[in-house]
Amino acid sequence: MFDPPAYFCLDCWDIKSFIKVVRQVKRGNANYTNIAYYISSLSETAKVFADKIKGHWAIENKLYWIKDVILQEDHCSFNDTQATTNFSILNTVALNLFRILGFDSITQGKRI
């Protein structure tokens, strides 16, 4: 945690914590850095906030990113809301089957 910028009014919204998270990732030969800011009405330790933020991103990385990128759910061309919902449910079922069958990589599972 760190001090927020001077123009940020903590008293206006009952904000207790201002958090800066720096993520550094290496993919292949490329290094990526992402900086995210969080505000909270909780007064917790940096460890508690780190665990909560990691938990959120674990869901994002293990489910939504895979559905969007690997299973190409965002490229779905259905015009009907029910069809889109059903397609998403089927993708989730497929994703869970890959995991139950022991595939660490969904891409690997799709190739078999």
Side-chain angles (χ1 to χ4, degrees):
M1 292 183 292
F2 70 104
D3 292 327
Y7 60 83
F8 202 83
C9 177
L10 294 178
D11 297 329
C12 299
W13 300 295
D14 190 34
I15 295 172
K16 303 280 192 260
S17 302
F18 194 81
I19 303 130
K20 178 180 179 181
V21 176
V22 179
R23 295 180 186 91
Q24 297 177 327
V25 178
K26 183 173 184 173
R27 289 191 186 127
N29 293 329
N31 293 316
Y32 298 93
T33 299
N34 174 270
I35 299 174
Y37 296 93
Y38 298 85
I39 56 175
S40 177
S41 60
L42 301 175
S43 266
E44 295 289 348
T45 66
K47 171 84 169 104
V48 169
F49 281 123
D51 290 343
K52 289 180 183 296
I53 292 167
K54 285 179 187 176
H56 167 77
W57 280 103
I59 294 168
E60 177 69 27
N61 291 334
K62 290 182 180 179
L63 179 62
Y64 299 118
W65 185 86
I66 291 172
K67 289 177 76 175
D68 291 345
V69 176
I70 305 298
L71 300 178
Q72 298 182 347
E73 196 168 272
D74 283 351
H75 294 100
C76 172
S77 60
F78 297 118
N79 294 325
D80 179 84
T81 303
Q82 190 63 48
T84 303
T85 301
N86 291 340
F87 183 69
S88 180
I89 291 168
L90 288 173
N91 274 338
T92 302
V93 169
L95 181 60
N96 286 324
L97 287 173
F98 284 132
R99 290 192 173 132
I100 288 169
L101 293 172
F103 289 101
D104 292 328
S105 165
I106 304 306
T107 303
Q108 177 190 16
K110 285 176 58 178
R111 289 182 185 145
I112 293 179

